mmCIF file of all heavy atoms in Angstrom:
data_model
loop_
_atom_site.group_PDB
_atom_site.id
_atom_site.type_symbol
_atom_site.label_atom_id
_atom_site.label_comp_id
_atom_site.label_asym_id
_atom_site.label_seq_id
_atom_site.Cartn_x
_atom_site.Cartn_y
_atom_site.Cartn_z
ATOM 1 N N GLY Y 83 143.881 0.764 -117.314
ATOM 2 C CA GLY Y 83 143.516 0.277 -118.628
ATOM 3 C C GLY Y 83 142.169 -0.433 -118.709
ATOM 4 O O GLY Y 83 141.814 -0.889 -119.758
ATOM 5 N N GLU Y 84 141.523 -0.509 -117.594
ATOM 6 C CA GLU Y 84 140.226 -1.204 -117.573
ATOM 7 C C GLU Y 84 139.142 -0.112 -117.440
ATOM 8 O O GLU Y 84 138.726 0.414 -118.426
ATOM 9 C CB GLU Y 84 140.173 -2.174 -116.406
ATOM 10 C CG GLU Y 84 141.227 -3.283 -116.477
ATOM 11 C CD GLU Y 84 140.978 -4.267 -117.612
ATOM 12 O OE1 GLU Y 84 139.829 -4.409 -118.033
ATOM 13 O OE2 GLU Y 84 141.958 -4.862 -118.119
ATOM 14 N N ARG Y 85 138.643 0.086 -116.247
ATOM 15 C CA ARG Y 85 137.592 1.053 -116.018
ATOM 16 C C ARG Y 85 138.165 2.468 -115.941
ATOM 17 O O ARG Y 85 139.124 2.707 -115.152
ATOM 18 C CB ARG Y 85 136.783 0.797 -114.817
ATOM 19 C CG ARG Y 85 135.588 1.722 -114.573
ATOM 20 C CD ARG Y 85 134.721 1.273 -113.420
ATOM 21 N NE ARG Y 85 133.683 2.245 -113.137
ATOM 22 C CZ ARG Y 85 132.494 2.327 -113.835
ATOM 23 N NH1 ARG Y 85 132.294 1.449 -114.772
ATOM 24 N NH2 ARG Y 85 131.579 3.247 -113.503
ATOM 25 N N VAL Y 86 137.658 3.398 -116.687
ATOM 26 C CA VAL Y 86 138.091 4.844 -116.628
ATOM 27 C C VAL Y 86 137.637 5.434 -115.348
ATOM 28 O O VAL Y 86 136.484 5.354 -115.015
ATOM 29 C CB VAL Y 86 137.575 5.641 -117.856
ATOM 30 C CG1 VAL Y 86 137.916 7.111 -117.669
ATOM 31 C CG2 VAL Y 86 138.110 5.033 -119.125
ATOM 32 N N PRO Y 87 138.568 5.980 -114.506
ATOM 33 C CA PRO Y 87 138.197 6.423 -113.165
ATOM 34 C C PRO Y 87 137.506 7.807 -113.235
ATOM 35 O O PRO Y 87 137.961 8.845 -112.627
ATOM 36 C CB PRO Y 87 139.524 6.549 -112.470
ATOM 37 C CG PRO Y 87 140.517 6.808 -113.541
ATOM 38 C CD PRO Y 87 140.013 6.064 -114.781
ATOM 39 N N MET Y 88 136.326 7.843 -113.906
ATOM 40 C CA MET Y 88 135.526 9.067 -114.008
ATOM 41 C C MET Y 88 134.123 8.680 -114.055
ATOM 42 O O MET Y 88 133.743 7.583 -114.473
ATOM 43 C CB MET Y 88 135.960 9.861 -115.287
ATOM 44 C CG MET Y 88 137.351 10.271 -115.375
ATOM 45 S SD MET Y 88 137.807 11.104 -116.957
ATOM 46 C CE MET Y 88 136.806 12.546 -116.949
ATOM 47 N N ALA Y 89 133.243 9.596 -113.617
ATOM 48 C CA ALA Y 89 131.792 9.359 -113.528
ATOM 49 C C ALA Y 89 131.216 9.409 -114.983
ATOM 50 O O ALA Y 89 131.811 9.922 -115.934
ATOM 51 C CB ALA Y 89 131.094 10.371 -112.705
ATOM 52 N N ASP Y 90 130.034 8.829 -115.118
ATOM 53 C CA ASP Y 90 129.298 8.851 -116.391
ATOM 54 C C ASP Y 90 129.112 10.313 -116.834
ATOM 55 O O ASP Y 90 128.804 11.205 -116.042
ATOM 56 C CB ASP Y 90 127.933 8.244 -116.255
ATOM 57 C CG ASP Y 90 127.938 6.703 -115.930
ATOM 58 O OD1 ASP Y 90 129.096 6.247 -115.744
ATOM 59 O OD2 ASP Y 90 126.911 6.163 -115.741
ATOM 60 N N GLY Y 91 129.324 10.564 -118.143
ATOM 61 C CA GLY Y 91 129.088 11.885 -118.700
ATOM 62 C C GLY Y 91 129.961 12.955 -118.092
ATOM 63 O O GLY Y 91 129.534 14.122 -117.986
ATOM 64 N N SER Y 92 131.148 12.669 -117.784
ATOM 65 C CA SER Y 92 132.072 13.601 -117.177
ATOM 66 C C SER Y 92 132.654 14.662 -118.112
ATOM 67 O O SER Y 92 133.015 15.802 -117.655
ATOM 68 C CB SER Y 92 133.266 12.849 -116.545
ATOM 69 O OG SER Y 92 132.799 12.009 -115.435
ATOM 70 N N VAL Y 93 132.738 14.291 -119.396
ATOM 71 C CA VAL Y 93 133.384 15.243 -120.339
ATOM 72 C C VAL Y 93 132.555 15.249 -121.573
ATOM 73 O O VAL Y 93 131.717 14.349 -121.834
ATOM 74 C CB VAL Y 93 134.875 14.830 -120.736
ATOM 75 C CG1 VAL Y 93 135.750 14.962 -119.557
ATOM 76 C CG2 VAL Y 93 134.864 13.433 -121.274
ATOM 77 N N ASP Y 94 132.703 16.286 -122.391
ATOM 78 C CA ASP Y 94 131.970 16.341 -123.707
ATOM 79 C C ASP Y 94 132.488 15.246 -124.608
ATOM 80 O O ASP Y 94 131.589 14.580 -125.238
ATOM 81 C CB ASP Y 94 132.164 17.731 -124.304
ATOM 82 C CG ASP Y 94 131.518 18.828 -123.592
ATOM 83 O OD1 ASP Y 94 130.442 18.617 -123.005
ATOM 84 O OD2 ASP Y 94 132.088 19.897 -123.541
ATOM 85 N N THR Y 95 133.778 15.126 -124.782
ATOM 86 C CA THR Y 95 134.363 14.227 -125.794
ATOM 87 C C THR Y 95 135.470 13.441 -125.218
ATOM 88 O O THR Y 95 136.302 13.926 -124.428
ATOM 89 C CB THR Y 95 134.809 15.135 -126.959
ATOM 90 O OG1 THR Y 95 133.786 15.893 -127.546
ATOM 91 C CG2 THR Y 95 135.495 14.254 -128.084
ATOM 92 N N VAL Y 96 135.534 12.177 -125.664
ATOM 93 C CA VAL Y 96 136.750 11.311 -125.339
ATOM 94 C C VAL Y 96 137.433 11.085 -126.688
ATOM 95 O O VAL Y 96 136.821 10.795 -127.654
ATOM 96 C CB VAL Y 96 136.298 9.990 -124.715
ATOM 97 C CG1 VAL Y 96 137.566 9.118 -124.577
ATOM 98 C CG2 VAL Y 96 135.627 10.234 -123.434
ATOM 99 N N ILE Y 97 138.802 11.276 -126.667
ATOM 100 C CA ILE Y 97 139.528 11.027 -127.860
ATOM 101 C C ILE Y 97 140.512 9.854 -127.646
ATOM 102 O O ILE Y 97 141.044 9.715 -126.474
ATOM 103 C CB ILE Y 97 140.306 12.269 -128.284
ATOM 104 C CG1 ILE Y 97 141.389 12.730 -127.259
ATOM 105 C CG2 ILE Y 97 139.405 13.369 -128.645
ATOM 106 C CD1 ILE Y 97 142.262 13.868 -127.682
ATOM 107 N N LEU Y 98 140.661 9.011 -128.561
ATOM 108 C CA LEU Y 98 141.634 7.931 -128.517
ATOM 109 C C LEU Y 98 142.397 8.051 -129.876
ATOM 110 O O LEU Y 98 141.997 7.540 -130.920
ATOM 111 C CB LEU Y 98 140.946 6.561 -128.473
ATOM 112 C CG LEU Y 98 140.107 6.271 -127.257
ATOM 113 C CD1 LEU Y 98 138.596 6.557 -127.494
ATOM 114 C CD2 LEU Y 98 140.285 4.829 -126.764
ATOM 115 N N LEU Y 99 143.509 8.765 -129.741
ATOM 116 C CA LEU Y 99 144.426 8.964 -130.910
ATOM 117 C C LEU Y 99 145.517 7.943 -131.011
ATOM 118 O O LEU Y 99 146.379 7.871 -130.140
ATOM 119 C CB LEU Y 99 145.100 10.400 -130.814
ATOM 120 C CG LEU Y 99 143.989 11.598 -130.652
ATOM 121 C CD1 LEU Y 99 144.703 12.877 -130.644
ATOM 122 C CD2 LEU Y 99 142.949 11.542 -131.798
ATOM 123 N N GLU Y 100 145.409 7.085 -131.988
ATOM 124 C CA GLU Y 100 146.413 6.030 -132.221
ATOM 125 C C GLU Y 100 146.503 5.093 -131.015
ATOM 126 O O GLU Y 100 147.582 4.790 -130.455
ATOM 127 C CB GLU Y 100 147.769 6.573 -132.525
ATOM 128 C CG GLU Y 100 147.756 7.705 -133.579
ATOM 129 C CD GLU Y 100 147.221 7.226 -134.973
ATOM 130 O OE1 GLU Y 100 147.876 6.541 -135.686
ATOM 131 O OE2 GLU Y 100 146.006 7.660 -135.258
ATOM 132 N N VAL Y 101 145.361 4.698 -130.527
ATOM 133 C CA VAL Y 101 145.222 3.859 -129.320
ATOM 134 C C VAL Y 101 144.635 2.471 -129.591
ATOM 135 O O VAL Y 101 145.189 1.464 -129.134
ATOM 136 C CB VAL Y 101 144.407 4.604 -128.192
ATOM 137 C CG1 VAL Y 101 144.109 3.630 -127.028
ATOM 138 C CG2 VAL Y 101 145.177 5.804 -127.697
ATOM 139 N N VAL Y 102 143.530 2.449 -130.282
ATOM 140 C CA VAL Y 102 142.758 1.175 -130.438
ATOM 141 C C VAL Y 102 143.569 0.046 -131.073
ATOM 142 O O VAL Y 102 143.245 -1.133 -130.753
ATOM 143 C CB VAL Y 102 141.430 1.408 -131.133
ATOM 144 C CG1 VAL Y 102 140.530 2.299 -130.302
ATOM 145 C CG2 VAL Y 102 141.670 1.994 -132.508
ATOM 146 N N GLU Y 103 144.527 0.336 -131.853
ATOM 147 C CA GLU Y 103 145.314 -0.724 -132.524
ATOM 148 C C GLU Y 103 146.178 -1.458 -131.516
ATOM 149 O O GLU Y 103 146.670 -2.567 -131.864
ATOM 150 C CB GLU Y 103 146.121 -0.082 -133.673
ATOM 151 C CG GLU Y 103 147.257 0.857 -133.277
ATOM 152 C CD GLU Y 103 146.798 2.362 -133.179
ATOM 153 O OE1 GLU Y 103 145.547 2.564 -133.150
ATOM 154 O OE2 GLU Y 103 147.674 3.214 -133.100
ATOM 155 N N HIS Y 104 146.375 -0.851 -130.384
ATOM 156 C CA HIS Y 104 147.263 -1.514 -129.337
ATOM 157 C C HIS Y 104 146.460 -2.412 -128.392
ATOM 158 O O HIS Y 104 147.094 -2.997 -127.499
ATOM 159 C CB HIS Y 104 147.937 -0.470 -128.532
ATOM 160 C CG HIS Y 104 148.829 0.460 -129.308
ATOM 161 N ND1 HIS Y 104 150.075 0.030 -129.850
ATOM 162 C CD2 HIS Y 104 148.663 1.691 -129.862
ATOM 163 C CE1 HIS Y 104 150.653 1.043 -130.513
ATOM 164 N NE2 HIS Y 104 149.768 2.046 -130.545
ATOM 165 N N LEU Y 105 145.149 -2.561 -128.544
ATOM 166 C CA LEU Y 105 144.329 -3.208 -127.555
ATOM 167 C C LEU Y 105 143.899 -4.610 -127.978
ATOM 168 O O LEU Y 105 143.475 -4.811 -129.143
ATOM 169 C CB LEU Y 105 143.050 -2.381 -127.269
ATOM 170 C CG LEU Y 105 143.370 -0.891 -126.847
ATOM 171 C CD1 LEU Y 105 141.976 -0.158 -126.701
ATOM 172 C CD2 LEU Y 105 144.125 -0.925 -125.573
ATOM 173 N N ASP Y 106 143.993 -5.587 -127.109
ATOM 174 C CA ASP Y 106 143.335 -6.815 -127.368
ATOM 175 C C ASP Y 106 141.870 -6.786 -127.593
ATOM 176 O O ASP Y 106 141.295 -7.543 -128.350
ATOM 177 C CB ASP Y 106 143.746 -7.905 -126.251
ATOM 178 C CG ASP Y 106 145.212 -8.214 -126.271
ATOM 179 O OD1 ASP Y 106 145.777 -8.361 -127.396
ATOM 180 O OD2 ASP Y 106 145.738 -8.355 -125.142
ATOM 181 N N ASP Y 107 141.207 -6.044 -126.780
ATOM 182 C CA ASP Y 107 139.695 -5.900 -126.873
ATOM 183 C C ASP Y 107 139.333 -4.393 -126.907
ATOM 184 O O ASP Y 107 138.961 -3.841 -125.949
ATOM 185 C CB ASP Y 107 139.137 -6.498 -125.647
ATOM 186 C CG ASP Y 107 137.538 -6.572 -125.691
ATOM 187 O OD1 ASP Y 107 136.956 -6.072 -126.687
ATOM 188 O OD2 ASP Y 107 136.977 -7.042 -124.673
ATOM 189 N N PRO Y 108 139.534 -3.790 -128.059
ATOM 190 C CA PRO Y 108 139.194 -2.355 -128.179
ATOM 191 C C PRO Y 108 137.747 -1.972 -127.849
ATOM 192 O O PRO Y 108 137.448 -0.942 -127.379
ATOM 193 C CB PRO Y 108 139.549 -1.957 -129.609
ATOM 194 C CG PRO Y 108 139.551 -3.277 -130.379
ATOM 195 C CD PRO Y 108 139.905 -4.292 -129.349
ATOM 196 N N ALA Y 109 136.770 -2.907 -128.098
ATOM 197 C CA ALA Y 109 135.364 -2.565 -127.780
ATOM 198 C C ALA Y 109 135.194 -2.338 -126.254
ATOM 199 O O ALA Y 109 134.373 -1.441 -125.975
ATOM 200 C CB ALA Y 109 134.483 -3.751 -128.264
ATOM 201 N N ARG Y 110 135.904 -2.994 -125.486
ATOM 202 C CA ARG Y 110 135.722 -2.742 -124.003
ATOM 203 C C ARG Y 110 136.098 -1.327 -123.639
ATOM 204 O O ARG Y 110 135.375 -0.701 -122.873
ATOM 205 C CB ARG Y 110 136.536 -3.758 -123.251
ATOM 206 C CG ARG Y 110 136.417 -3.638 -121.761
ATOM 207 C CD ARG Y 110 137.035 -4.842 -120.996
ATOM 208 N NE ARG Y 110 138.494 -4.931 -121.364
ATOM 209 C CZ ARG Y 110 139.260 -5.891 -120.883
ATOM 210 N NH1 ARG Y 110 138.709 -6.929 -120.144
ATOM 211 N NH2 ARG Y 110 140.513 -5.950 -121.221
ATOM 212 N N LEU Y 111 137.219 -0.836 -124.151
ATOM 213 C CA LEU Y 111 137.612 0.530 -123.844
ATOM 214 C C LEU Y 111 136.731 1.519 -124.482
ATOM 215 O O LEU Y 111 136.370 2.561 -123.880
ATOM 216 C CB LEU Y 111 139.081 0.763 -124.180
ATOM 217 C CG LEU Y 111 139.707 2.160 -123.763
ATOM 218 C CD1 LEU Y 111 139.641 2.176 -122.244
ATOM 219 C CD2 LEU Y 111 141.089 2.323 -124.287
ATOM 220 N N LEU Y 112 136.235 1.247 -125.710
ATOM 221 C CA LEU Y 112 135.313 2.165 -126.378
ATOM 222 C C LEU Y 112 133.992 2.265 -125.569
ATOM 223 O O LEU Y 112 133.427 3.350 -125.512
ATOM 224 C CB LEU Y 112 135.054 1.638 -127.796
ATOM 225 C CG LEU Y 112 136.182 1.855 -128.750
ATOM 226 C CD1 LEU Y 112 135.962 1.096 -130.076
ATOM 227 C CD2 LEU Y 112 136.445 3.388 -129.045
ATOM 228 N N ARG Y 113 133.592 1.238 -124.996
ATOM 229 C CA ARG Y 113 132.355 1.335 -124.187
ATOM 230 C C ARG Y 113 132.578 2.178 -122.986
ATOM 231 O O ARG Y 113 131.685 2.946 -122.537
ATOM 232 C CB ARG Y 113 131.848 -0.103 -123.749
ATOM 233 C CG ARG Y 113 131.255 -0.915 -124.860
ATOM 234 C CD ARG Y 113 130.611 -2.182 -124.315
ATOM 235 N NE ARG Y 113 131.597 -3.161 -123.913
ATOM 236 C CZ ARG Y 113 132.058 -4.141 -124.744
ATOM 237 N NH1 ARG Y 113 131.650 -4.202 -125.945
ATOM 238 N NH2 ARG Y 113 132.967 -4.984 -124.337
ATOM 239 N N GLU Y 114 133.832 2.094 -122.358
ATOM 240 C CA GLU Y 114 134.128 3.016 -121.312
ATOM 241 C C GLU Y 114 134.211 4.452 -121.742
ATOM 242 O O GLU Y 114 133.658 5.397 -121.126
ATOM 243 C CB GLU Y 114 135.465 2.603 -120.706
ATOM 244 C CG GLU Y 114 135.426 1.531 -119.667
ATOM 245 C CD GLU Y 114 134.690 2.027 -118.466
ATOM 246 O OE1 GLU Y 114 135.332 2.689 -117.609
ATOM 247 O OE2 GLU Y 114 133.420 1.785 -118.325
ATOM 248 N N ALA Y 115 134.738 4.664 -122.988
ATOM 249 C CA ALA Y 115 134.714 6.013 -123.478
ATOM 250 C C ALA Y 115 133.374 6.520 -123.725
ATOM 251 O O ALA Y 115 132.992 7.732 -123.450
ATOM 252 C CB ALA Y 115 135.512 6.030 -124.897
ATOM 253 N N ARG Y 116 132.484 5.680 -124.240
ATOM 254 C CA ARG Y 116 131.044 6.102 -124.444
ATOM 255 C C ARG Y 116 130.457 6.446 -123.135
ATOM 256 O O ARG Y 116 129.642 7.429 -123.062
ATOM 257 C CB ARG Y 116 130.260 5.026 -125.153
ATOM 258 C CG ARG Y 116 128.801 5.337 -125.366
ATOM 259 C CD ARG Y 116 128.068 4.267 -126.018
ATOM 260 N NE ARG Y 116 126.686 4.598 -126.236
ATOM 261 C CZ ARG Y 116 125.740 3.867 -126.837
ATOM 262 N NH1 ARG Y 116 126.071 2.674 -127.285
ATOM 263 N NH2 ARG Y 116 124.493 4.265 -126.948
ATOM 264 N N ARG Y 117 130.693 5.724 -122.078
ATOM 265 C CA ARG Y 117 130.086 5.942 -120.741
ATOM 266 C C ARG Y 117 130.507 7.348 -120.199
ATOM 267 O O ARG Y 117 129.674 8.102 -119.633
ATOM 268 C CB ARG Y 117 130.525 4.884 -119.779
ATOM 269 C CG ARG Y 117 129.982 5.093 -118.366
ATOM 270 C CD ARG Y 117 130.547 4.012 -117.421
ATOM 271 N NE ARG Y 117 132.027 4.150 -117.193
ATOM 272 C CZ ARG Y 117 132.576 4.944 -116.404
ATOM 273 N NH1 ARG Y 117 131.909 5.894 -115.786
ATOM 274 N NH2 ARG Y 117 133.908 4.969 -116.322
ATOM 275 N N VAL Y 118 131.779 7.656 -120.435
ATOM 276 C CA VAL Y 118 132.328 8.884 -119.838
ATOM 277 C C VAL Y 118 131.925 10.165 -120.661
ATOM 278 O O VAL Y 118 131.876 11.241 -120.096
ATOM 279 C CB VAL Y 118 133.829 8.772 -119.744
ATOM 280 C CG1 VAL Y 118 134.548 10.076 -119.352
ATOM 281 C CG2 VAL Y 118 134.237 7.698 -118.688
ATOM 282 N N ALA Y 119 131.684 9.998 -121.936
ATOM 283 C CA ALA Y 119 131.460 11.136 -122.823
ATOM 284 C C ALA Y 119 129.945 11.535 -122.817
ATOM 285 O O ALA Y 119 129.123 10.664 -122.835
ATOM 286 C CB ALA Y 119 131.924 10.806 -124.251
ATOM 287 N N ARG Y 120 129.765 12.822 -122.869
ATOM 288 C CA ARG Y 120 128.394 13.322 -123.076
ATOM 289 C C ARG Y 120 128.005 13.471 -124.484
ATOM 290 O O ARG Y 120 126.849 13.293 -124.862
ATOM 291 C CB ARG Y 120 128.249 14.710 -122.384
ATOM 292 C CG ARG Y 120 128.306 14.720 -120.890
ATOM 293 C CD ARG Y 120 127.981 16.102 -120.318
ATOM 294 N NE ARG Y 120 129.036 17.001 -120.677
ATOM 295 C CZ ARG Y 120 129.965 17.329 -119.814
ATOM 296 N NH1 ARG Y 120 130.114 16.739 -118.609
ATOM 297 N NH2 ARG Y 120 130.892 18.226 -120.132
ATOM 298 N N ARG Y 121 128.970 13.863 -125.353
ATOM 299 C CA ARG Y 121 128.697 14.258 -126.719
ATOM 300 C C ARG Y 121 129.147 13.247 -127.722
ATOM 301 O O ARG Y 121 128.380 12.719 -128.583
ATOM 302 C CB ARG Y 121 129.383 15.568 -126.995
ATOM 303 C CG ARG Y 121 129.322 16.128 -128.406
ATOM 304 C CD ARG Y 121 129.869 17.501 -128.482
ATOM 305 N NE ARG Y 121 129.999 17.977 -129.864
ATOM 306 C CZ ARG Y 121 130.367 19.211 -130.211
ATOM 307 N NH1 ARG Y 121 130.535 20.143 -129.251
ATOM 308 N NH2 ARG Y 121 130.576 19.563 -131.474
ATOM 309 N N ASN Y 122 130.462 12.897 -127.739
ATOM 310 C CA ASN Y 122 130.976 11.971 -128.767
ATOM 311 C C ASN Y 122 132.338 11.405 -128.404
ATOM 312 O O ASN Y 122 132.918 11.836 -127.460
ATOM 313 C CB ASN Y 122 131.018 12.690 -130.153
ATOM 314 C CG ASN Y 122 131.946 13.953 -130.182
ATOM 315 O OD1 ASN Y 122 132.566 14.290 -129.181
ATOM 316 N ND2 ASN Y 122 131.918 14.614 -131.271
ATOM 317 N N VAL Y 123 132.790 10.481 -129.225
ATOM 318 C CA VAL Y 123 134.081 9.862 -129.079
ATOM 319 C C VAL Y 123 134.742 9.878 -130.491
ATOM 320 O O VAL Y 123 134.221 9.603 -131.530
ATOM 321 C CB VAL Y 123 133.964 8.359 -128.666
ATOM 322 C CG1 VAL Y 123 135.285 7.680 -128.595
ATOM 323 C CG2 VAL Y 123 133.308 8.251 -127.258
ATOM 324 N N LEU Y 124 136.023 10.332 -130.439
ATOM 325 C CA LEU Y 124 136.819 10.502 -131.696
ATOM 326 C C LEU Y 124 137.956 9.503 -131.596
ATOM 327 O O LEU Y 124 138.674 9.335 -130.594
ATOM 328 C CB LEU Y 124 137.358 11.852 -131.801
ATOM 329 C CG LEU Y 124 136.315 12.997 -131.666
ATOM 330 C CD1 LEU Y 124 137.059 14.357 -131.774
ATOM 331 C CD2 LEU Y 124 135.242 12.839 -132.755
ATOM 332 N N VAL Y 125 138.195 8.799 -132.710
ATOM 333 C CA VAL Y 125 139.186 7.709 -132.796
ATOM 334 C C VAL Y 125 140.063 7.948 -134.079
ATOM 335 O O VAL Y 125 139.541 8.238 -135.096
ATOM 336 C CB VAL Y 125 138.525 6.383 -132.914
ATOM 337 C CG1 VAL Y 125 139.543 5.218 -133.048
ATOM 338 C CG2 VAL Y 125 137.641 6.100 -131.680
ATOM 339 N N THR Y 126 141.400 7.721 -133.979
ATOM 340 C CA THR Y 126 142.254 7.572 -135.104
ATOM 341 C C THR Y 126 143.081 6.366 -134.969
ATOM 342 O O THR Y 126 143.412 5.941 -133.854
ATOM 343 C CB THR Y 126 143.176 8.872 -135.270
ATOM 344 O OG1 THR Y 126 144.164 8.851 -134.287
ATOM 345 C CG2 THR Y 126 142.306 10.110 -135.195
ATOM 346 N N THR Y 127 143.513 5.777 -136.129
ATOM 347 C CA THR Y 127 144.324 4.599 -136.132
ATOM 348 C C THR Y 127 144.945 4.470 -137.451
ATOM 349 O O THR Y 127 144.494 4.997 -138.436
ATOM 350 C CB THR Y 127 143.417 3.326 -135.816
ATOM 351 O OG1 THR Y 127 144.212 2.188 -135.624
ATOM 352 C CG2 THR Y 127 142.431 3.111 -136.928
ATOM 353 N N PRO Y 128 146.149 3.770 -137.555
ATOM 354 C CA PRO Y 128 146.708 3.517 -138.891
ATOM 355 C C PRO Y 128 145.747 2.820 -139.790
ATOM 356 O O PRO Y 128 144.931 1.925 -139.401
ATOM 357 C CB PRO Y 128 147.919 2.648 -138.540
ATOM 358 C CG PRO Y 128 148.283 3.065 -137.168
ATOM 359 C CD PRO Y 128 147.013 3.261 -136.477
#
Side-chain angles (χ1 to χ4, degrees):
E84 300 292 334
R85 184 173 175 82
V86 174
M88 298 174 66
D90 296 1
S92 296
V93 294
D94 292 324
T95 300
V96 176
I97 62 173
L98 297 99
L99 304 182
E100 314 300 286
V101 172
V102 293
E103 65 271 15
H104 299 284
L105 305 177
D106 289 322
D107 185 4
R110 181 169 58 183
L111 188 60
L112 287 168
R113 285 190 288 268
E114 276 293 278
R116 179 179 180 179
R117 178 184 66 80
V118 169
R120 291 187 291 265
R121 174 173 170 174
N122 58 4
V123 174
L124 307 178
V125 177
T126 72
T127 188

